[in-house]
Amino acid sequence: MDLGSGQDQNRLEEFLRADLPIVIGSGAEWRQAEIGAFVRSHHRYPQEKWIYCLPLAASEAVQRIRKALDTSSVYSLPLHIDPFDKDGQMDKVFSHILTHMMAQQPKKRSFFSRKKVHD
């Protein structure tokens, strides 16, 4: 959900259905309240999986939003001019996000991981 491009009902429904719901906000001081307002206005939806990204945000802004939302799932995104071009810094951020997300997933037992019972 890109807070800078509008929040119509169709976009909200897609966001809520997403396997990886990411809220893109602003790291600018004067716009940081938008993320908090979005979270408060959608409090009735489960938010444990939500990830918040702030393009070009300073570490202080990230810490402030983490504290305000009481979550560690807030990340700064580096400058990436061409989204179709591979970028090492962006890869590092998304690797961290996905590792964090996978660590929060409940462990599933598969058929093959069961212990065999010996006679």
Side-chain angles (χ1 to χ4, degrees):
M1 175 65 72
D2 184 348
L3 299 183
S5 66
Q7 303 168 33
D8 61 37
Q9 189 61 33
N10 290 334
R11 289 182 193 189
L12 179 62
E13 288 173 8
E14 287 296 320
F15 170 75
L16 295 172
R17 251 194 321 265
D19 291 328
L20 186 58
I22 299 176
V23 177
I24 305 294
S26 175
E29 289 277 339
W30 60 92
R31 295 190 58 198
Q32 289 177 10
E34 292 173 353
I35 289 181
F38 177 78
V39 169
R40 284 188 303 280
S41 67
H42 297 91
H43 64 87
R44 63 189 169 276
Y45 301 110
Q47 299 175 4
E48 325 51 74
K49 294 187 337 180
W50 292 13
I51 295 170
Y52 307 90
C53 293
L54 307 172
L56 308 175
S59 60
E60 296 83 18
V62 170
Q63 292 303 322
R64 193 171 22 258
I65 298 293
R66 282 179 177 168
K67 186 175 180 181
L69 299 180
D70 192 28
T71 182
S72 62
S73 298
V74 180
Y75 303 91
S76 176
L77 298 179
L79 177 64
H80 192 163
I81 295 172
D82 183 356
F84 299 104
D85 190 17
K86 188 166 176 57
D87 180 80
Q89 286 183 312
M90 190 65 79
D91 289 349
K92 188 187 290 187
V93 171
F94 280 116
S95 174
H96 185 73
I97 290 170
L98 294 173
T99 300
H100 182 112
M101 184 192 79
M102 295 304 291
Q104 293 178 342
Q105 297 293 319
K107 302 286 188 223
K108 293 182 181 178
R109 291 186 55 186
S110 77
F111 175 78
F112 299 106
S113 66
R114 290 191 212 164
K115 292 184 178 183
K116 293 183 179 182
V117 177
H118 297 287
D119 295 318

